[in-house]
Amino acid sequence: GQQVMQIPQYQHVQEGEDFTTYCNSSTTLSNIQWYKQRPGGHPVFLIQLVKSGEVKKQKRLTFQFGEAKKNSSLHITATQTTDVGTYFCAGPGTASKLTFGTGTRLQVTL
Amino acid sequence: EPEVTQTPSHQVTQMGQEVILRCVPISNHLYFYWYRQILGQKVEFLVSFYNNEISEKSEIFDDQFSVERPDGSNFTLKIRSTKLEDSAMYFCASSVGLAGGVPSYEQYFGPGTRLTVT
């Protein structure tokens, strides 16, 4: 079946440093979604990417969908303590199913 | 802002017992899902539900599991004869399906039910 892997599994940064998580799918995706899960919380939808090579920005977060639509990345500029959590890619977003990636846990310290 | 609600927040049960986890999806959403997350691991898809029937289910969703929409608001997950390995956080989610004529499958998750099987 479809597998979605993310690297790194865990990243610890100092506040103000940048952070990137990479997502790779075993199959081509029609779209990819990103979710954030705070410690003890539930996944919260961040964004959906649909087009090959698409780049979207949300304030300090930049999301990219690969040209082959099999990989994606999330980059956070100048991390803050509020960015702490686990970031999951998931795809494709269809009516019937969403396959989550393995997740990257981000820890930010002052 | 509308949100998905789940009850109970924590359920402790003995091995072999049946449990029912309850969810109230967002009112205008048409697609409903159950996921589980074992502590520290990824979110795993269990089942999706649309138009009063299962759309898709994973290998995890075997005969031990069933889902139901008993009325216009609730969406339930029943686990028969629970096993120790069923201990996990169970999340319900919903999506609208169509927004302004455009497919929209971003999923809204509830706060989860932590199931502990002893």
Side-chain angles (χ1 to χ4, degrees), chain B residues 55-82:
Chain B
S55 303
E56 189 162 348
K57 56 185 181 180
S58 72
E59 293 174 350
I60 303 169
F61 194 90
D62 58 21
D63 292 343
Q64 182 194 7
F65 294 88
S66 62
V67 289
E68 192 178 29
R69 189 156 163 81
D71 53 44
S73 60
N74 290 283
F75 180 49
T76 63
L77 174 69
K78 181 188 290 186
I79 309 175
R80 287 179 282 273
S81 190
T82 49

Side-chain angles (χ1 to χ4, degrees), chain A:
Chain A
Q2 179 194 13
Q3 292 187 20
V4 184
M5 306 295 292
Q6 285 181 251
I7 55 171
Q9 282 188 309
Y10 172 72
Q11 180 110 44
H12 183 181
V13 300
Q14 298 285 319
E15 191 177 48
E17 293 181 336
D18 292 356
F19 160 77
T20 303
T21 172
Y22 300 91
C23 171
N24 290 285
S25 170
S26 59
T27 59
T28 302
L29 301 171
S30 56
N31 63 68
I32 194 159
Q33 299 180 355
W34 284 89
Y35 291 78
K36 176 183 179 181
Q37 184 177 28
R38 293 184 187 274
H42 57 277
V44 175
F45 175 82
L46 294 177
I47 207 161
Q48 176 170 285
L49 305 171
V50 178
K51 299 176 185 175
S52 169
E54 186 171 14
V55 178
K56 285 189 176 180
K57 292 190 176 184
Q58 288 180 350
K59 298 182 180 178
R60 295 178 294 103
L61 277 60
T62 301
F63 303 84
Q64 187 165 11
F65 201 9
E67 294 289 340
K69 301 184 79 172
K70 293 183 71 174
N71 56 70
S72 181
S73 65
L74 158 59
H75 179 81
I76 303 178
T77 304
T79 54
Q80 300 175 357
T81 54
T82 53
D83 296 325
V84 165
T86 301
Y87 292 84
F88 292 99
C89 62
T94 68
S96 57
K97 183 177 179 178
L98 194 60
T99 300
F100 276 76
T102 48
T104 295
R105 186 162 68 94
L106 172 64
Q107 181 64 263
V108 181
T109 52
L110 295 171

